[in-house]
Amino acid sequence: MLLDLRRKLTNNIGHLQEGALKTGGETVNDLSEVAAEHMAERGSDNFAQDLMIRILQDCDAEVCDINRALEKIEMGAYGLCEDCSEPISRKRLTALPFARLCIECKREEERRLAARQ
Ligand SMILES: [Zn+2]
């Protein structure tokens, strides 16, 4: 399941990178439908490009988490929180197969991040 997910994401990133690299005068063929729609609405190439780069960054982060999850499977530590080493709930893993933290630690992390802003 994780391997499948990673393959899918990696493919997407390949497409997006191709598209994002075609800047300026070149035609961007690999725009996602959403980006193309927005571009039509706003008549702005830059907006579509920004959007694509943002999607790309999101994907990168996800692939990173997936890679970590795969590493953890190999180490036999999959499903354990990286912070407190407690097992992550099955429900959470079903929703987010590459979760790094248990729900308590994730909430704690989000609180810390929110406090920093
Ligand atoms: Zn934890």
Side-chain angles (χ1 to χ4, degrees):
M1 183 163 125
L2 281 169
L3 284 168
D4 234 40
L5 196 61
R6 185 171 71 160
R7 210 173 305 132
K8 225 183 293 170
L9 281 169
T10 312
N11 282 342
N12 280 343
I13 286 172
H15 278 305
L16 287 166
Q17 272 170 342
E18 266 175 46
L21 287 174
K22 289 179 199 158
T23 52
E26 292 235 15
T27 339
V28 181
N29 294 318
D30 288 325
L31 278 179
S32 73
E33 266 178 40
V34 182
E37 239 170 66
H38 277 293
M39 191 167 69
E41 270 172 30
R42 304 223 180 177
S44 155
D45 282 349
N46 283 341
F47 179 79
Q49 214 172 323
D50 284 355
L51 185 71
M52 210 151 48
I53 287 165
R54 218 171 315 138
I55 294 169
L56 197 62
Q57 283 167 343
D58 285 354
C59 277
D60 266 343
E62 235 171 46
V63 168
C64 182
D65 278 354
I66 292 167
N67 280 332
R68 287 171 82 131
L70 290 168
E71 273 171 32
K72 281 165 78 176
I73 290 172
E74 277 163 27
M75 294 186 313
Y78 176 69
L80 297 180
C81 173
E82 286 184 11
D83 222 13
C84 65
S85 302
E86 293 293 321
I88 299 170
S89 76
R90 188 169 290 268
K91 199 173 141 201
R92 179 161 164 74
L93 283 176
T94 310
L96 202 67
F98 41 86
R100 291 184 296 115
L101 301 171
C102 71
I103 192 71
E104 283 84 8
C105 292
K106 182 68 192 168
R107 284 202 188 116
E108 186 59 36
E109 187 187 72
E110 273 164 13
R111 261 199 300 273
R112 275 202 307 270
L113 287 175
R116 217 186 289 160
Q117 280 164 3

